[in-house]
Amino acid sequence: MAEYPFPEPVVRITDVRELARDLVVIPNQGVQLVPNIGIIGGTHSVLVVETGMGPRNAETVLKFAADYAGDRKLYLTTTHFHPEHAFGAQAFTGFATFLINRAQAEDLATKGAGYLDMFAGLGEPVARQLEGVELAIPDVVYDNSYDLDLGGRMVQLRATGRAHSKGDQVITVPDAGVMFTGDLVEAGQFAIFPWFPPHDTDVSGIRWIAVMDRLAAADPQVVVPGHGDIGGPQLLADVRDYLQLLRDETWARRDSAMSEETITEEVTALIIERHPEWAGREWIERGIGCLCAEHVVDP
Ligand SMILES: [Zn+2]
């Protein structure tokens, strides 16, 4: 099995950060395959955002959330179907109402098993966390938007349309100005393009740029990315600028009929020079591949 070069993908309940009254985040501490996890409270209900990868991580999250909630009702949602975000939902069965958008539910049903295999192959520490995963079936599925009343606090769940995945969803808490983006936004690393032709080609760089414009227009004060440090609206601008640069540099070379290999070489070098401090350089090439496939010839 592949060497897994990163720390154990385990959710640890440390440095829990209160972003607003009754709204906390369990930060991922920069650990790969651990997402930022949100707990949002109202007077009668509490919403958990993301499960962590696999049933044991999710049990850790559930225990924390149940203690936090006290006798309030629990809800669970996930930003998209990828394993570290959603493959722990089974631990919440019977304890929380699992609520997601339809496109994400379809991703989970049609692509969940394939992703389980693919991730288990990433290395022993990942396979260990995925042991015993059963893909959960959501209790409530909505089409495009859902306003969840937690009691004195409304939370907006919004399907964004295809971008990082087919079923991306953002969760916004308007009274606190907080937005959970999932992997539409990362801090301190290159955008993750799950571009794995022919198995998975759902990611769209072009649609992603349009989604980032819409998220920026919503003007949140606090942005909780899928992975990495919590930030402000600049995080949204950074991702949009990066995606636009990647598109422009890729397409300019595509227009002059350069080979994909040379495009990848040149654009990767240029992008790394622009963001030398960002992690996840392996995702640049996949982004270029995606954008080559989405190339539109100028009329
Ligand atoms: Zn993802």
Side-chain angles (χ1 to χ4, degrees):
M1 186 172 277
E3 278 297 316
Y4 185 72
F6 305 114
E8 292 279 325
V10 170
V11 174
R12 300 190 197 283
I13 311 287
T14 46
D15 299 324
V16 173
R17 223 175 117 187
E18 187 172 45
L19 299 186
R21 175 188 51 82
D22 210 357
L23 197 176
V24 299
V25 170
I26 305 166
N28 84 324
Q29 316 274 8
V31 177
Q32 280 77 7
L33 297 184
V34 174
N36 288 314
I37 296 168
I39 319 263
I40 306 159
T43 56
H44 58 65
S45 300
V46 170
L47 172 66
V48 179
V49 181
E50 317 286 43
T51 68
M53 187 169 62
R56 283 155 297 278
N57 278 319
E59 277 159 24
T60 302
V61 175
L62 174 61
K63 183 177 184 314
F64 177 82
D67 287 348
Y68 184 91
D71 54 11
R72 292 179 286 180
K73 179 176 163 54
L74 272 184
Y75 288 90
L76 169 69
T77 195
T78 50
T79 56
H80 61 301
F81 83 104
H82 287 156
E84 77 271 32
H85 299 268
F87 283 18
Q90 70 196 77
F92 287 77
T93 303
F95 299 99
T97 301
F98 181 26
L99 162 69
I100 52 175
N101 51 308
R102 186 167 308 282
Q104 182 179 170
E106 286 168 4
D107 273 348
L108 190 61
T110 58
K111 295 165 71 179
Y115 265 73
L116 190 55
D117 284 349
M118 178 168 69
F119 269 60
L122 292 177
E124 171 59 27
V126 181
R128 202 164 35 240
Q129 293 307 327
L130 289 171
E131 238 167 68
V133 165
E134 285 166 25
L135 298 171
I137 293 168
D139 300 300
V140 179
V141 172
Y142 72 87
D143 285 324
N144 297 310
S145 73
Y146 193 99
D147 291 337
L148 180 63
D149 184 0
L150 300 176
R153 169 173 271 168
M154 295 299 285
V155 176
Q156 298 174 343
L157 294 87
R158 298 289 184 268
T160 63
R162 184 160 72 91
H164 167 76
S165 71
K166 208 185 264 179
D168 295 314
Q169 173 191 216
V170 298
I171 295 97
T172 305
V173 188
D175 72 74
V178 175
M179 177 185 280
F180 292 82
T181 63
D183 286 347
L184 291 167
V185 177
E186 315 292 3
Q189 75 163 74
F190 294 102
I192 296 171
F193 274 80
W195 175 256
F196 304 114
H199 308 291
D200 189 351
T201 56
D202 283 346
V203 56
S204 165
I206 298 318
R207 287 164 178 267
W208 197 337
I209 291 168
V211 167
M212 293 316 300
D213 283 335
R214 295 208 305 275
L215 297 188
D219 201 23
Q221 292 148 41
V222 181
V223 175
V224 182
H227 305 265
D229 293 344
I230 297 162
Q234 187 60 39
L235 281 183
L236 303 178
D238 287 348
V239 172
R240 187 194 52 208
D241 291 351
Y242 165 64
L243 294 173
Q244 277 174 351
L245 178 69
L246 195 67
R247 176 199 61 191
D248 292 348
E249 295 294 340
T250 298
W251 283 13
R253 287 165 179 76
R254 198 76 173 169
D255 282 337
S256 59
M258 197 181 270
S259 75
E260 189 164 331
E261 197 185 337
T262 310
I263 295 174
T264 302
E265 242 169 65
E266 288 192 11
V267 176
T268 300
L270 180 151
I271 292 284
I272 288 174
E273 204 178 294
R274 190 69 69 92
H275 298 287
E277 74 291 6
W278 282 6
R281 291 178 180 180
E282 68 274 20
W283 297 113
I284 302 171
E285 181 174 347
R286 297 202 177 274
I288 294 167
C290 173
L291 285 159
C292 278
E294 292 187 289
H295 178 240
V296 177
V297 180
D298 265 337

